[in-house]
Amino acid sequence: MARAVSRPRIALRLRSTSHSGAKKASPRTKKSRSPDTKSAPRPSTAPGERRPLPFVVRFLVMLIAFAAMVAFAAALAQITLQPSPASEALTHSNLHPGRSLRAYLDQPELRDAFKQIGGNLVLGIPFGVLLPVLVPKARGILRVLLLTAAVMMMVELVQGAVITGRAFDVDDVILNTSGALVGYLLLGRRLNRAVHPRKSRRKNSEA
């Protein structure tokens, strides 16, 4: 009878030691898993984000844009600031938006209206393309439009005050600014993002 009673006690001791060993081993497994989750690599950049252009490429683009702006300024001065004595009696200042536009559209030939309206629009397109490249802070549409309107307002004021046969026309300023808007939406916005990337994008690319 003594032998039969002693065997279950040994079995109970073995079971208790096995359960305690399993409980002690479980925290080790948790500790070993925690460093793996912390050391998981994090993505440094967004999935659809582009890397900035090299510095040499950006410098060349700005140099070309500067040369183009100088050439455009010379052409603009020749077109707008050249005296026209033959049309002195026909020119009148216009301070009412839309008056000159109606006069252009009322002309018998559409070719003349196309030259007047289309020419003023084309004169504003280089501002929308080149200003975002030369001026890093000109990122938004509003800034480009304000800079273009300010420059063309000065040109119109010089025309009306100094140049013979020229007059101030607010509709020309509106058309030039509209041309700058077209140039910015077509190409200027993309060039500004490529040549002058934002700081957040640079930090993501370096991380």
Side-chain angles (χ1 to χ4, degrees), residues 69-142:
M69 181 61 80
V70 172
F72 170 70
L76 181 64
Q78 186 177 2
I79 294 171
T80 59
L81 302 180
Q82 186 176 2
S84 180
S87 58
E88 184 176 1
L90 302 175
T91 56
H92 301 282
S93 298
N94 176 31
L95 301 177
H96 301 279
R99 178 179 293 178
S100 295
L101 291 174
R102 288 192 296 268
Y104 296 153
L105 295 175
D106 290 340
Q107 292 180 1
E109 295 185 4
L110 293 176
R111 183 181 299 178
D112 296 335
F114 180 77
K115 287 181 180 179
Q116 295 291 338
I117 298 175
N120 286 314
L121 286 173
V122 171
L123 283 178
I125 291 177
F127 284 100
V129 176
L130 299 177
L131 279 178
V133 179
L134 297 175
V135 183
K137 294 183 179 181
R139 294 185 180 274
I141 296 176
L142 183 60

Side-chain angles (χ1 to χ4, degrees), residues 5-189:
V5 173
S6 61
R7 287 178 183 176
R9 291 178 182 178
I10 296 170
L12 290 173
R13 289 178 183 177
L14 292 174
R15 289 178 183 177
S16 62
T17 55
S18 62
H19 285 295
S20 61
K23 291 180 181 179
K24 291 181 180 179
S26 60
R28 294 180 182 179
T29 56
K30 293 181 180 178
K31 290 181 181 180
S32 62
R33 291 178 183 177
S34 58
D36 295 336
T37 57
K38 293 181 180 179
S39 62
R42 296 180 179 178
S44 58
T45 57
E49 191 174 354
R50 297 180 180 179
R51 294 182 179 179
L53 295 175
F55 175 77
V56 178
V57 177
R58 286 183 286 161
F59 179 77
L60 289 176
V61 173
M62 291 186 65
L63 187 62
I64 294 172
F66 178 76
M69 181 61 80
V70 172
F72 170 70
L76 181 64
Q78 186 177 2
I79 294 171
T80 59
L81 302 180
Q82 186 176 2
S84 180
S87 58
E88 184 176 1
L90 302 175
T91 56
H92 301 282
S93 298
N94 176 31
L95 301 177
H96 301 279
R99 178 179 293 178
S100 295
L101 291 174
R102 288 192 296 268
Y104 296 153
L105 295 175
D106 290 340
Q107 292 180 1
E109 295 185 4
L110 293 176
R111 183 181 299 178
D112 296 335
F114 180 77
K115 287 181 180 179
Q116 295 291 338
I117 298 175
N120 286 314
L121 286 173
V122 171
L123 283 178
I125 291 177
F127 284 100
V129 176
L130 299 177
L131 279 178
V133 179
L134 297 175
V135 183
K137 294 183 179 181
R139 294 185 180 274
I141 296 176
L142 183 60
R143 294 182 181 180
V144 174
L145 296 183
L146 289 176
L147 287 173
T148 304
V151 173
M152 299 312 299
M153 186 73 71
M154 292 177 60
V155 172
E156 291 292 328
L157 290 173
V158 172
Q159 281 184 345
V162 180
I163 308 302
T164 304
R166 302 283 183 176
F168 177 86
D169 196 341
V170 68
D171 285 338
D172 291 346
V173 179
I174 295 173
L175 291 174
N176 298 145
T177 307
S178 301
L181 175 62
V182 174
Y184 178 79
L185 294 177
L186 291 179
L187 190 59
R189 178 174 54 181

